[in-house]
Amino acid sequence: ENLGENATIQSFLRTTAAHTKLEFIVQKNEETLPLWNGLLAQEALPENIVFLHDESKGTGKEASAWSTDPQFVTSSRKIVGYAGGIKPANVAKVARDTMKA
């Protein structure tokens, strides 16, 4: 299965279009990068797709750096967020660091 194949991307887009009251969170990490890039290449995306940078893949491991990927930080047509090891002890630092990214 190739997440970057057009058939996979179109299937995902059909699913999001069929369920407009649901929010679909696309997690970005090295495993999902083909899907992420395929979606970003689309002319328009449904409003119910949001993107989440989480290199920890949901393990809670704190990120050593926050993405400055131009597709991510310069786009105003997509809702995006950061995750990965954010907890009460470091939330203020993470907020400062992500604002710089």
Side-chain angles (χ1 to χ4, degrees), residues 3-99:
L3 290 177
E5 289 180 358
N6 188 53
T8 303
I9 292 164
Q10 295 308 313
S11 177
F12 179 76
L13 291 171
R14 281 191 303 275
T15 301
T16 61
H19 302 282
T20 58
K21 294 187 186 260
L22 296 176
E23 183 175 71
F24 292 82
I25 301 171
V26 180
Q27 186 182 50
K28 183 186 181 215
N29 55 56
E30 71 268 5
E31 294 172 2
T32 62
L33 190 59
L35 176 62
W36 174 276
N37 285 334
L39 290 170
L40 288 176
Q42 302 300 305
E43 278 294 312
L45 291 173
E47 294 290 322
N48 60 336
I49 297 177
V50 297
F51 295 91
L52 178 69
H53 276 274
D54 186 1
E55 292 298 331
S56 77
K57 299 176 209 82
T59 64
K61 180 181 173 190
E62 189 172 341
S64 58
W66 300 100
S67 177
T68 57
D69 178 342
Q71 285 185 304
F72 173 66
V73 295
T74 62
S75 176
S76 61
R77 68 182 178 111
K78 297 160 200 74
I79 298 173
V80 294
Y82 290 102
I86 302 170
K87 49 193 164 269
N90 70 353
V91 70
K93 179 183 182 311
V94 168
R96 286 189 304 272
D97 291 348
T98 56
M99 291 298 289

